[in-house]
Amino acid sequence: MEWSKRLDQIVHEHDPFNAEPDPRQLGVDRVTDTTRFYSRNHGPIPTIDPVGWELPIDGLVGQPIVLRLSDLQSRFEHVTIDATLQCAGNLRSGLFSVAEIPGEAPWGAGATSSAVWTGVRLADVLASVEVLPEARHVVFEAPDVSQIPDEPQSYGSSIPLHKALSGEVLLAWEMNNEPLLPIHGAPVRVVVPGFIGARSVKWVTRIHLEAEPSTNYFQATAYRLLPPGFDPKKAGPGDGLSLASVALNSAFFLPDTVDVPVGTFRLDGYAYAGDDRAVSRVDVSIDSGATWTSTQLEEPTNEWTWQFWHADVYLTAGTHEVVVRAWDSTGALQPSDPEDVWNPKGYVNNSWKRIIITAR
Ligand SMILES: Nc1nc2c(c(=O)[nH]1)N[C@H]1C(S)=C(S)[C@@H](COP(=O)(O)O)O[C@H]1N2
Ligand SMILES: [Mo]
């Protein structure tokens, strides 16, 4: 198995390894088994000796320190938290019908997964270094060098200080009660629940407190929402909107086309909204959105996890366009059409997901 992943993963790229579970596999459990969990990489997977690994924490701090794994594990309280990760490129494939997105993979609904993470609170670690009042952003550095920027660059990103201090952000060494696998960031990764996956930096090797966000390519130039007419090749630092919280979205645990017998059929899937929003309602339509039925929506495990939903519908003989849409706790509804959300790098396609079901 490539990188300990199931053979039925949909592999977008082998090197660097980028793969998502088949939607039916994604729905097997609310905690995604590590063999099914999606993988998103921008460079080669580093192999890091956990004993030699060191984490300097410096920049705008009163007491810079260097922590080893044994320090992290012995000096701070251990925390275990269920949290869903979601790539900003989740569901990008739905934008390809509007216009091409050269150089970006057609991720389906599986660029998201949920796991149980164990580590320490970044807030506790930061309390020990005396963060200075000028500090506004926590910058993470990693050793994996990506060929995607014009000048190859190692991966990095940042989160605002207030998010870093919020208690749910972890420096994690375990995923689903096992030591992190190399592909998921061993020995230690950042887990930023509620934010786009890009901020959950794997193989973290330095934490830097700064007044401004990271200048790394993956913070300053990529993972930003460019206006529709913008040439992404000309994008530079600061162009477009920086992404942080995950936008409200929903999808099916079914492929884009399905054949089923005539009769009652169970539709199921997930819905998720990042940070301080929850999913309040999920509706499905079996007639392209002309009429809607509310689904059974499961409670999340905690405020950082996705929610599963299901609905039994009766399908007559023929082809049906089946649609799902969700509302969040602010009363916001997902946008209906991919045309409205299309952007040159293909991020945040949270338009209503549509699949075709043929009943015979
Ligand atoms: N060092 C490093 N961290 C990284 C990445 C990367 O390429 N390098 N990819 C990011 C992106 S875009 C996502 S969506 C998540 C994916 O985490 P996973 O591969 O464990 O699913 O990791 C993030 N952290
Ligand atoms: Mo991502």
Side-chain angles (χ1 to χ4, degrees):
M1 293 194 293
E2 197 172 3
W3 297 107
S4 315
K5 295 296 169 184
R6 290 170 58 99
L7 293 173
D8 56 8
Q9 291 256 309
I10 301 161
V11 178
H12 294 293
E13 206 177 352
H14 288 276
D15 189 15
F17 188 67
N18 281 293
E20 64 180 298
D22 173 282
R24 278 167 293 215
Q25 291 295 328
L26 192 58
V28 168
D29 202 336
R30 286 156 63 132
V31 174
T32 315
D33 187 89
T34 308
T35 62
R36 296 185 170 92
F37 202 101
Y38 81 103
S39 306
R40 178 74 183 98
N41 296 295
H42 299 80
I45 312 306
T47 312
I48 299 174
D49 169 19
V51 177
W53 177 82
E54 289 188 337
L55 182 66
I57 306 177
D58 49 25
L60 297 171
V61 302
Q63 296 287 334
I65 47 170
V66 180
L67 294 169
R68 291 173 173 268
L69 184 55
S70 54
D71 301 324
L72 267 191
Q73 293 176 335
S74 62
R75 289 175 45 185
F76 305 97
E77 186 189 345
H78 292 198
V79 195
T80 296
I81 178 173
D82 273 81
T84 300
L85 286 194
Q86 188 169 105
C87 185
N90 192 42
L91 289 163
R92 176 182 290 128
S93 58
L95 299 174
F96 283 53
S97 59
V98 180
E100 272 184 73
I101 302 176
E104 299 290 338
W107 292 83
T112 186
S113 299
S114 206
V116 183
W117 310 94
T118 300
V120 296
R121 292 184 194 93
L122 179 58
D124 292 348
V125 175
L126 293 180
S128 73
V129 297
E130 294 171 24
V131 174
L132 298 179
E134 311 89 271
R136 287 284 175 278
H137 296 269
V138 181
V139 175
F140 307 117
E141 294 181 7
D144 51 320
V145 177
S146 175
Q147 303 296 322
I148 297 169
D150 289 339
E151 291 283 311
Q153 199 181 108
S154 55
Y155 192 87
S157 80
S158 63
I159 58 173
L161 181 62
H162 65 83
K163 178 69 179 178
L165 296 179
S166 64
E168 69 270 12
V169 178
L170 301 185
L171 296 176
W173 57 81
E174 270 185 21
M175 176 181 183
N176 295 337
N177 304 309
E178 302 281 350
L180 277 178
L181 293 176
I183 189 91
H184 291 299
V188 175
R189 79 175 298 167
V190 186
V191 176
V192 187
F195 270 31
I196 60 164
R199 308 300 179 233
S200 290
V201 173
K202 302 189 273 191
W203 316 288
V204 60
T205 44
R206 187 170 178 222
I207 296 180
H208 208 245
L209 278 287
E210 292 181 22
E212 300 295 330
S214 170
T215 55
N216 186 283
Y217 173 84
F218 295 99
Q219 178 83 32
T221 304
Y223 290 102
R224 299 180 76 101
L225 219 50
L226 297 169
F230 205 104
D231 177 357
K233 289 201 273 316
K234 299 204 175 107
D239 286 331
L241 310 178
S242 182
L243 300 171
S245 301
V246 176
L248 169 69
N249 64 94
S250 59
F252 294 95
F253 292 139
L254 289 165
D256 285 353
T257 55
V258 205
D259 282 350
V260 302
V262 167
T264 302
F265 182 70
R266 172 155 290 198
L267 298 171
D268 62 354
Y270 67 82
Y272 180 59
D275 248 16
D276 56 352
R277 283 152 305 126
V279 177
S280 328
R281 190 171 119 203
V282 176
D283 284 2
V284 288
S285 169
I286 57 169
D287 53 14
S288 305
T291 61
W292 296 88
T293 313
S294 281
T295 67
Q296 295 288 318
L297 179 61
E298 289 180 17
E299 289 295 320
T301 309
N302 61 37
E303 60 185 307
W304 309 114
T305 64
W306 58 7
Q307 288 167 249
F308 281 17
W309 58 264
H310 64 263
D312 292 324
V313 294
Y314 190 88
L315 296 174
T316 55
T319 293
H320 308 269
E321 189 183 47
V322 179
V323 194
V324 61
R325 66 181 189 185
W327 281 260
D328 72 16
S329 47
T330 70
L333 167 66
Q334 288 178 242
S336 57
D337 296 307
E339 286 79 2
D340 296 331
V341 295
W342 190 92
N343 61 95
K345 298 277 282 178
Y347 301 128
V348 202
N349 176 22
N350 70 335
S351 61
W352 304 353
K353 177 67 184 164
R354 295 162 193 273
I355 60 173
I356 300 294
I357 304 186
T358 304
R360 320 172 197 269

